[in-house]
Amino acid sequence: MSGTEIIEEIRKLSSEERKQVVAYVNEIQKSDALDSDEDITPEFKRVVDEVFTTNAELFRKLAQ
C-alpha cells in the first residue's frame, strides 16, 4: 500500500480513530528506533522531516 493510499484510508476514519493514528505516529517519532543514527540514514531523516513539515496541516486536522 502506498503512502497516498494510507492517507486516503486515514481520511475515512472517525475522529477518534484519527487521533489514535496521530498518537501512534507521534510515538514512532519519539521511539528509540527513529533516534538511532545507526538505523536511520540522513536521507531517511530528511524525508521524514519533509513529510511531516509539508503535511503539518493534515496531521493537525487528523488530531482534531
Side-chain angles (χ1 to χ4, degrees):
M1 185 177 268
S2 73
T4 302
E5 291 169 319
I6 292 170
I7 290 170
E8 288 302 318
E9 289 300 314
I10 291 170
R11 287 182 175 149
K12 295 175 186 176
L13 298 174
S14 70
S15 178
E16 186 58 37
E17 290 171 317
R18 286 191 307 264
K19 287 178 186 177
Q20 291 174 354
V21 171
V22 171
Y24 177 72
V25 170
N26 288 334
E27 182 180 316
I28 290 172
Q29 280 188 301
K30 294 176 184 177
S31 75
D32 291 339
L34 286 179
D35 292 335
S36 173
D37 287 338
E38 61 193 44
D39 295 331
I40 307 300
T41 65
E43 175 66 8
F44 180 80
K45 287 181 182 180
R46 184 193 65 72
V47 171
V48 168
D49 288 342
E50 182 179 334
V51 167
F52 282 96
T53 299
T54 58
N55 295 295
E57 181 66 13
L58 169 63
F59 288 111
R60 187 190 64 73
K61 287 180 179 180
L62 289 173
Q64 294 178 350

